[in-house]
Each structure stands twice: as C-alpha cells, then as structure tokens.
Amino acid sequence: MHADADHLPPADFAASLARIRARLDAALKEAGRRGPVEIVAVSKTQGEARLKEALAAGQRVFGENRVQEAKAKWPALRAEFPDVELRLIGPLQSNKAAEAIALFDVIETIDRPKIARALKDEAQKQARRPRFLIQVNTGAEAQKAGVLPEDADAFIRLCRDELGMEVEGLMCIPPAEEPPAPHFALLARIAARNRLGVLSMGMSGDFEIAAQLGATHIRVGTALFGDRMVKPDTLTVP
Ligand SMILES: *Cc1c(COP(=O)(O)O)cnc(C)c1O
C-alpha cells in the first residue's frame, strides 16, 4: 500500500501513538513531572477507517470539534466500543446544546453564561452527567472563543457554584503566532487559584511544553492521524 517510505503518511496510528507517548514521557521526565497526561486523539475530519485503526490500537479518548460531524461518526462506533470517551473541543452554539449533551462525555469549551445555562438545563432534562471544562481565551484574541482571563474567576464561580455544573478544569488554544508557554502558564495559574485539577492544553506542535507546564490532557490530531482531510475520508476504496 505504501509505495515510498519517504512519503509514508503517519497513518499507522499505533506507531504514531507510541512515538507521541515516548516524547511525552521524555518531556515529563525532563520537567520532573509525573503525570499522568491523557492523550486526546483529535479525530475531526477523520473517517471511519482511521477511527477504527485508532480504536484497534487501544485509543479510547477522542476529541471532535463539531457536533454534527461527531453525531454522524460516533454513535455506531460507541455501540461497539462502549468505553470510548468523547470530548467536544470546538465552539458550541446553544441550539446544539441538546445534541452535545446527548453525545459527549466532556465538553471542553463552555465560555459564556448562555451556553452554560443551556448545557446545564439539557443535562438535567436528559439526566446526563457530563463533565465540563471552561475555555479561556488566554491571548484575548477577538476572533477566538473563550472567556477572557480577567473574567475567568467569576465565570468559574457562576458555572460551578451557582449553576452547580461539574466543572473539572480549563482549556486553552494559544495564539498561533506566539510562544505558547506563557499562555499555558497563565491557564495553570487560573486553574490553581480556583482549585481546578484538569488542564487541557497542547496540540501536535506544542504538547511537550504544555505537559511540562501542567497539562493533564493534550489534544493531538495531525501528529497521530496524519494530515486532516478536507472532508471526512472514506477509506473503503480497495
Ligand atoms: C484541531 C484541534 C487540535 C489538534 O490540532 P493538531 O495540531 O492537529 O494536533 C487541538 N485542539 C483543538 C481545539 C483543535 O480544534
């Protein structure tokens, strides 16, 4: 199948996962951190063949960024692999709250009262107990989702204490053009002063730094699956 090793896409999920895990362990060791750090396989745009390969390699924790796409891809696979944990890592509109609550175990991207309230109401209605992370816009970028760092404490209080949501931590996506370390450190400080244990930070390009600065979850897509397809792939062609 792979004619030329030099152009081999990293489609061998098990090998990619082993490489990521080795790099993660080395980064943790260098920082004197023990972990554990969960590798969230970001499977957006990847089709069923790739997902099955990941599942066969033992991967169980996946991140998707669109509710509709996840809804099309995951219910059948989850029936087969009930121990899968699905995490929503993309922005959420409140009109998708019901579907998100029905589908995801963890929603990482709550960032405003309206969506928090919608999710809380839906969770009650569906008798589901998802966990939540609050997304923080550490770079205060106009186009990016997330609560501003200076508003984070109050928003955490609202979600956790007033709405009674199970907020377990924080998530961020640093500005693409800046060194990520100060953003990861800021997220860790906000989490620590609010006694939140979960930090979802770090992607294919910067997960080692994130792990050294306290990530409990790294979200890795291309380094595991190879390049993303524009459309979900259909690797069913012989
Ligand atoms: C796509 C995505 C990732 C993974 O990015 P890679 O660079 O492919 O590892 C991580 N987090 C979020 C929120 C994403 O949308």
Side-chain angles (χ1 to χ4, degrees):
M1 221 184 113
H2 303 298
D4 179 356
D6 288 339
H7 296 97
L8 187 72
D12 181 346
F13 189 95
S16 301
L17 181 60
R19 272 197 302 272
I20 298 290
R21 202 162 266 149
R23 284 171 56 188
L24 176 61
D25 288 347
L28 288 171
K29 191 168 172 200
E30 185 188 283
R33 252 200 93 203
R34 243 207 226 140
V37 176
E38 187 82 60
I39 298 170
V40 179
V42 176
S43 48
K44 63 189 185 199
T45 80
Q46 308 293 350
E48 194 185 7
R50 291 272 177 88
L51 302 184
K52 284 193 158 159
E53 191 189 355
L55 288 160
Q59 181 68 31
R60 289 296 180 270
V61 183
F62 293 87
E64 289 281 351
N65 72 332
R66 289 170 193 272
V67 175
Q68 293 312 309
E69 183 188 335
K71 200 180 162 190
K73 283 159 49 175
W74 279 102
L77 285 171
R78 294 194 88 177
E80 206 177 324
F81 298 92
D83 55 341
V84 159
E85 177 179 288
L86 261 195
R87 307 175 69 96
L88 178 63
I89 61 170
L92 183 59
Q93 304 298 322
S94 32
N95 63 4
K96 299 266 167 58
E99 289 169 308
I101 290 290
L103 195 56
F104 290 96
D105 304 292
V106 181
I107 294 175
E108 298 202 4
T109 50
I110 56 175
D111 65 353
R112 57 198 190 278
K114 188 178 174 200
I115 195 71
R117 290 201 165 88
L119 290 168
K120 184 218 151 164
D121 290 348
E122 270 306 326
Q124 258 167 1
K125 214 187 281 179
Q126 298 183 32
R128 295 258 302 158
R129 296 207 38 135
R131 289 116 64 203
F132 298 99
L133 307 189
I134 288 169
Q135 182 173 354
V136 181
N137 185 356
T138 56
E141 295 172 276
Q143 79 288 3
K144 197 166 272 176
V147 64
L148 291 173
E150 61 266 33
D151 298 332
D153 293 352
F155 186 61
I156 293 164
R157 267 198 307 279
L158 169 74
C159 296
R160 186 172 56 185
D161 304 334
E162 286 178 46
L163 299 178
M165 301 171 82
E166 192 168 331
V167 177
E168 53 178 26
L170 305 177
M171 176 270 210
C172 78
I173 309 168
E177 64 287 352
E178 286 181 31
H183 296 273
F184 296 151
L186 172 60
L187 197 74
R189 283 200 303 278
I190 298 171
R193 71 177 180 240
N194 286 283
R195 299 177 317 282
L196 292 170
V198 172
L199 281 175
S200 170
M201 56 189 199
M203 318 200 298
S204 290
D206 56 17
F207 69 85
E208 285 142 313
I209 300 167
Q212 292 183 331
L213 290 170
T216 61
H217 293 70
I218 57 172
R219 307 179 308 266
V220 182
T222 47
L224 280 175
F225 286 104
D227 288 339
R228 275 186 281 278
M229 310 289 147
V230 176
K231 292 185 200 151
D233 59 349
T234 47
L235 299 178
T236 47
V237 185

